[in-house]
Amino acid sequence: MEKRVKKEIRRQIRVYPGDKIAVAVSGGKDSMVALKMLSSVFGPRNGIEIHAVTIDEGIEGYRPPSVDIVRRFCSENSIPFHLRSFFELGVDMDRIAPVSGESSPCTYCGVFRRRLMNDEARKIGARYLATGHNLDDTVQSVMMNFVRGDIERLARLGPHEKVQPGLVPRFLPLRTIPEKETLLYALVSGTEFWDGECPYWKEALRNQYRDVVDELEERSPGSRFSILSSYDTLRPMLYSGFPPASLRICECGEPSVGGTCKSCQLLEDARRRIGNL
Ligand code: SF4
């Protein structure tokens, strides 16, 4: 697994002494394994700084224990730890979820999390932002966008190849590692992680794709690797058909295709819904 992750790192990024890499860490097994591996591959001896960034979405009983795990790991391994919170935006998931109506709470959560994550990575001066997405997550995203016919978004799935102003490029060191292997690695290596369940996860659209991918894998072992490999083969074509749009900067400071970014639009909507409680 370590060899495969190192190969992915070499394939996806180019780093130089003095560079910084921000790692999005929730405290779950995947992001903790990504943080552990990146901090052992890079670090002071090759002049690359690893920073952990955690987002508190405001979910009582779920996020606080995982934040403690990340904080502890960082302090034991001398990794700078950065914590950002939805409360800075004047919202929290415990108030948004009950009023999210037809939309899944995860729609708001994902967009606000990406905004804070990108903002913090930019403030750190990171050359890249690493996430803990594993093979299962990646294949579910491919399937989800394919079934929805959202080819433009399919073309934009990480790792990002083009550096865009204001957007710290993502890379996914675990994208070829099945979820069960990251779990096994975390257990065998003694990496502490939080395995609590978000109270809103059942409402995530992604779940139906999780079931489809799991069933496919069970019936035809190797399906996940085949889907990823087919996607990687198609990627250059998708990229040339849907090249990354030129981004503008929204008044909140985040990059956006149009004038107002998605996060500001959803924030206004969330605040209105919360206000109507
Ligand atoms: S399951 Fe949904 S609401 Fe819960 S943390 Fe994940 S994205 Fe946010």
Side-chain angles (χ1 to χ4, degrees):
M1 182 167 156
E2 285 173 352
K3 270 191 198 159
R4 277 183 288 149
V5 171
K6 281 182 188 162
K7 192 172 152 200
E8 265 311 303
I9 294 173
R10 280 195 300 273
R11 207 172 68 84
Q12 291 183 35
I13 64 170
R14 293 277 169 279
V15 280
Y16 306 94
D19 278 351
K20 295 172 182 165
I21 295 176
V23 188
V25 195
S26 66
K29 62 182 185 328
D30 302 304
S31 59
M32 288 304 291
V33 166
L35 180 62
K36 186 182 177 78
M37 285 194 160
L38 287 168
S39 61
S40 75
V41 170
F42 299 111
R45 63 182 186 285
N46 45 26
I48 312 289
E49 258 181 50
I50 297 291
H51 291 245
V53 183
T54 299
I55 308 296
D56 177 0
E57 301 93 343
I59 304 174
E60 212 188 321
Y62 170 66
R63 187 53 75 213
S66 68
V67 170
D68 289 345
I69 290 175
V70 185
R71 189 183 275 118
R72 198 155 44 238
F73 182 91
C74 289
S75 111
E76 284 164 6
N77 293 279
S78 310
I79 297 170
F81 171 62
H82 307 252
L83 180 64
R84 299 289 301 267
S85 163
F86 278 22
F87 291 102
E88 298 169 30
L89 305 173
V91 293
D92 57 271
M93 285 315 296
D94 283 339
R95 281 190 300 159
I96 294 175
V99 293
S100 58
E102 306 228 311
S103 315
S104 156
C106 305
T107 305
Y108 295 90
C109 191
V111 171
F112 299 155
R113 188 178 329 108
R114 280 193 291 278
R115 167 178 173 163
L116 291 174
M117 200 59 86
N118 189 56
D119 184 53
E120 192 60 28
R122 215 174 35 222
K123 283 187 178 145
I124 290 169
R127 185 182 282 272
Y128 293 100
L129 172 61
T131 70
H133 290 92
N134 57 42
L135 175 67
D136 300 55
D137 300 324
T138 310
V139 171
Q140 287 156 19
S141 300
V142 170
M143 297 280 278
M144 200 155 75
N145 289 305
F146 198 79
V147 172
R148 289 202 296 211
D150 196 344
I151 306 301
E152 200 167 343
R153 192 183 286 235
L154 190 64
R156 286 205 310 262
L157 290 179
H160 294 159
E161 285 168 14
K162 188 179 168 204
V163 178
Q164 302 242 71
L167 187 67
V168 181
R170 311 276 148 80
F171 91 101
L172 294 72
L174 307 181
R175 88 193 272 271
T176 61
I177 311 295
E179 186 173 1
K180 280 182 186 158
E181 283 186 46
T182 60
L183 173 63
L184 205 58
Y185 185 90
L187 294 173
V188 169
S189 64
T191 310
E192 191 185 2
F193 64 90
W194 169 244
D195 66 351
E197 222 168 55
C198 171
Y200 312 119
W201 80 273
K202 284 204 177 77
E203 296 167 55
L205 181 67
R206 175 176 285 276
N207 290 327
Q208 67 195 65
Y209 294 93
R210 184 190 311 273
D211 294 343
V212 169
V213 170
D214 287 353
E215 200 175 327
L216 263 177
E217 182 67 27
E218 198 167 317
R219 288 184 188 205
S220 319
S223 296
R224 286 169 306 184
F225 283 111
S226 303
I227 293 170
L228 182 65
S229 144
S230 303
Y231 171 66
D232 283 346
T233 308
L234 289 171
R235 220 162 167 242
M237 288 171 250
L238 292 170
Y239 228 69
S240 63
F242 297 91
S246 328
L247 298 178
R248 288 196 257 159
I249 300 296
C250 171
E251 59 181 26
C252 72
E254 280 303 292
S256 164
V257 178
T260 306
C261 72
K262 180 86 181 157
S263 162
C264 283
Q265 291 171 23
L266 280 181
L267 205 49
E268 197 185 318
D269 176 62
R271 285 180 184 145
R272 186 177 45 76
R273 286 170 186 258
I274 293 172
N276 289 340
L277 262 180

